[in-house]
């Protein structure tokens, strides 16, 4: 039980996909201007991360490895992820049309979100079992959601802050992201 909790915390905070691994920067920058959008994108991407890991691990271990098809890993994983994103897109379009419209092009970009592919490949490269892979995926998904919500909060404060002209817009966004990354780096070594 402790090992599961450690893996969950490590994947969410110590090895955060955005602040430590520098994955998923496109939605991190593009969808964090408002907390509602950031949370919606974080939840949708988290769902895809968990589902993609649940589907790709058995495909890799039970189909690709026995047949010597490991070299197709990236291609197969991207096809699975694209299919799952289509399912999420259909669900949001029918169930939550406001969120679907607010996400715009970023919803389709979950397919190319390197955090989703990165988590699935990390599970294989770290030689996790199926249960460990799911825990790692859940932790990574929570870490992605956490980073999206934190950055949206920071951006809401930046809107009312007096920022020097040279730093207004994108530069202050990257400065804030860098400072958040440094803060998360402080967790390194917390869990081995």
């Amino acid at each position: 039980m402790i090992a599961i909790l450690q893996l969950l915390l490590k994947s969410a905070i110590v090895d955060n996909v955005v602040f430590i691994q520098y994955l998923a920067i496109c939605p991190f920058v593009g969808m964090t201007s408002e907390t509602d959008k950031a949370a919606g994108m974080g939840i949708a991407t988290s769902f895809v991360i968990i589902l993609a890991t649940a589907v790709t691990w058995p495909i890799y271990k039970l189909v690709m490895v026995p047949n010597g098809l490991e070299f197709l890993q990236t291609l197969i994983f991207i096809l699975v992820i694209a299919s799952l994103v289509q399912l999420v897109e259909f669900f949001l379009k029918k169930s939550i049309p406001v969120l679907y419209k607010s996400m715009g092009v970023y919803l389709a970009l979950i397919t190319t979100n390197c955090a989703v592919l990165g988590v699935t490949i990390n599970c294989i490269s770290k030689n996790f079992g199926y249960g460990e892979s799911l825990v790692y995926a859940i932790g990574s998904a929570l870490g992605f959601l956490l980073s999206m919500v934190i950055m949206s909060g920071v951006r809401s404060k930046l809107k009312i802050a007096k920022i020097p002209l040279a730093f207004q817009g994108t530069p202050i966004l990257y400065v804030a992201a860098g400072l958040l990354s440094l803060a998360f780096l402080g967790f390194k070594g917390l869990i081995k």
Side-chain angles (χ1 to χ4, degrees):
M1 182 64 182
I2 290 178
I4 291 171
L5 187 58
Q6 284 181 333
L7 181 59
L8 187 72
L9 288 174
K10 183 175 182 185
S11 59
I13 297 171
V14 177
D15 290 332
N16 185 280
V17 291
V18 176
F19 294 131
I20 302 301
Q21 297 182 42
Y22 304 112
L23 300 174
I25 300 301
C26 180
F28 176 73
V29 171
M31 289 295 294
T32 54
S33 59
E34 297 173 25
T35 304
D36 293 345
K37 287 182 184 180
M41 180 60 144
I43 291 167
T45 303
S46 295
F47 179 72
V48 173
I49 287 173
I50 295 165
L51 200 56
T53 302
V55 172
T56 57
W57 190 94
I59 289 172
Y60 184 82
K61 294 290 186 177
L62 302 175
V63 176
M64 295 172 69
V65 171
N67 293 307
L69 300 173
E70 297 95 329
F71 65 95
L72 293 174
Q73 175 185 19
T74 304
L75 177 66
I76 299 296
F77 285 13
I78 288 174
L79 289 173
V80 168
I81 291 165
S83 301
L84 294 172
V85 169
Q86 287 298 309
L87 290 173
V88 170
E89 193 170 346
F90 292 143
F91 174 78
L92 288 178
K93 191 174 187 179
K94 291 287 184 188
S95 303
I96 314 169
V98 174
L99 180 60
Y100 173 79
K101 287 181 183 174
S102 73
M103 293 175 95
V105 69
Y106 289 100
L107 183 59
L109 288 176
I110 293 175
T111 301
T112 59
N113 187 332
C114 54
V116 180
L117 182 61
V119 169
T120 59
I121 290 176
N122 281 345
C123 289
I124 300 300
S125 67
K126 293 178 187 235
N127 206 23
F128 287 149
Y130 189 67
E132 291 172 315
S133 294
L134 291 177
V135 170
Y136 182 83
I138 291 167
S140 296
L142 291 173
F144 178 75
L145 177 60
L146 178 69
S147 64
M148 294 290 284
V149 172
I150 287 173
M151 192 60 182
S152 69
V154 168
R155 287 183 77 168
S156 69
K157 296 294 183 189
L158 289 175
K159 288 178 185 175
I160 58 173
K162 289 179 70 178
I163 299 169
L165 185 62
F167 286 101
Q168 289 179 3
T170 307
I172 194 67
L173 178 66
Y174 287 118
V175 169
L179 292 172
L180 286 169
S181 291
L182 284 172
F184 270 73
L185 249 157
F187 294 114
K188 276 288 188 200
L190 183 67
I191 300 172
K192 296 194 188 265

